């Protein structure tokens, strides 16, 4: 099967964003949701890969789908077996950047108590690489967030490849 723009558009439409303003807040913000108008088997596949409902997961998955769709545009009209998925995955992962503002990092960290585990792993795994310039809490949170983002993107990569395989069948 050949990759088409229609398939790429389907990948981009898996998640939708909405501007939300919560009670008591003065500003709205963007939240991401699974597109309910799509086939239920797509959402089921995310659950099968271990994906939980979480604002950060959905935001990062939406970004992952957009990044993937952008990279796939270079392969429109080519057979799926000729697409270098590993290279695309590596390219997307190398462009990931964590939040840089302390407020945003603290929001991420406090949004799920399990996230502290990512920061703890960074401290345990990389302590000997710390120097006076990066020996601080913000750096730990940035690297921890980047680890979690990479995991979520990995799930997104699995999903895109599964999605393309189902289109191929």
């Amino acid at each position: 099967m050949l990759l088409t723009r229609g398939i790429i558009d389907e990948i981009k439409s898996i998640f939708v964003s909405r501007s939300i303003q919560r009670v008591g807040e003065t500003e709205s913000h963007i939240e991401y949701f699974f597109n309910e108008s799509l086939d239920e088997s797509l959402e089921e596949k995310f659950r099968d890969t271990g994906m939980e409902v979480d604002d950060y997961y959905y935001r990062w998955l939406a970004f992952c789908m957009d990044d993937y769709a952008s990279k796939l545009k270079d392969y429109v009209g080519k057979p799926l077996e000729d697409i270098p998925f590993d290279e695309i995955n590596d390219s997307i992962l190398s462009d990931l950047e964590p939040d840089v503002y302390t407020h945003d990092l603290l929001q991420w960290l406090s949004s799920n108590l399990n996230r502290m585990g990512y920061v703890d792993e960074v401290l345990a795994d990389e302590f000997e690489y710390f120097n006076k310039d990066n020996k601080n809490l913000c750096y730990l949170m940035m690297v921890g967030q980047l680890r979690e983002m990479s995991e979520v993107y990995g799930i997104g990569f699995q999903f895109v490849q599964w999605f393309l395989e189902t289109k191929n069948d």
Side-chain angles (χ1 to χ4, degrees):
M1 180 184 91
L2 300 178
L3 182 65
T4 65
R5 290 199 185 279
I7 292 172
I8 292 171
D9 289 342
E10 284 183 66
I11 292 169
K12 286 183 75 155
S13 71
I14 291 169
F15 287 90
V16 293
S17 61
R18 294 183 200 135
S19 181
I20 305 287
Q21 185 170 356
R22 294 196 171 123
V23 175
E25 290 183 353
T26 55
E27 294 183 24
S28 63
H29 62 279
I30 304 293
E31 288 189 10
Y32 295 87
F33 301 90
F34 193 82
N35 188 344
E36 295 172 0
S37 67
L38 296 174
D39 184 356
E40 198 173 294
S41 67
L42 298 179
E43 190 171 8
E44 211 172 279
K45 180 62 179 174
F46 273 113
R47 282 194 303 269
D48 291 348
T49 58
M51 184 52 53
E52 300 173 24
V53 175
D54 180 291
D55 287 348
Y56 286 93
Y57 292 163
Y58 276 23
R59 178 185 328 161
W60 293 335
L61 284 169
F63 293 167
C64 179
M65 298 297 116
D66 280 346
D67 292 346
Y68 227 106
S70 294
K71 299 282 185 187
L72 286 175
K73 285 180 182 174
D74 296 337
Y75 300 96
V76 169
K78 294 193 177 186
L80 292 180
E81 55 272 2
D82 291 348
I83 298 174
F85 290 107
D86 290 339
E87 287 178 29
I88 292 172
N89 297 352
D90 291 344
S91 173
I92 291 171
L93 286 176
S94 69
D95 291 340
L96 287 182
E97 293 184 7
D99 292 325
V100 293
Y101 296 111
T102 306
H103 176 265
D104 296 333
L105 290 165
L106 288 170
Q107 273 192 313
W108 163 76
L109 187 64
S110 65
S111 67
N112 183 329
L113 294 177
N114 293 327
R115 293 202 160 105
M116 208 169 356
Y118 289 99
V119 176
D120 290 342
E121 283 178 16
V122 171
L123 188 58
D125 295 347
E126 300 183 27
F127 186 74
E128 68 266 14
Y129 302 111
F130 291 130
N131 59 45
K132 136 181 134 169
D133 295 329
N134 65 8
K135 197 182 285 186
N136 60 61
L137 180 58
C138 282
Y139 178 78
L140 285 171
M141 288 189 295
M142 288 170 69
V143 177
Q145 186 184 59
L146 196 55
R147 280 190 181 193
E148 184 178 24
M149 287 173 85
S150 296
E151 275 183 25
V152 172
Y153 268 66
I155 290 170
F157 298 159
Q158 290 173 22
F159 175 80
V160 169
Q161 289 175 343
W162 169 83
F163 180 78
L164 292 172
E165 286 169 11
T166 60
K167 293 291 182 189
N168 202 17
D169 294 337

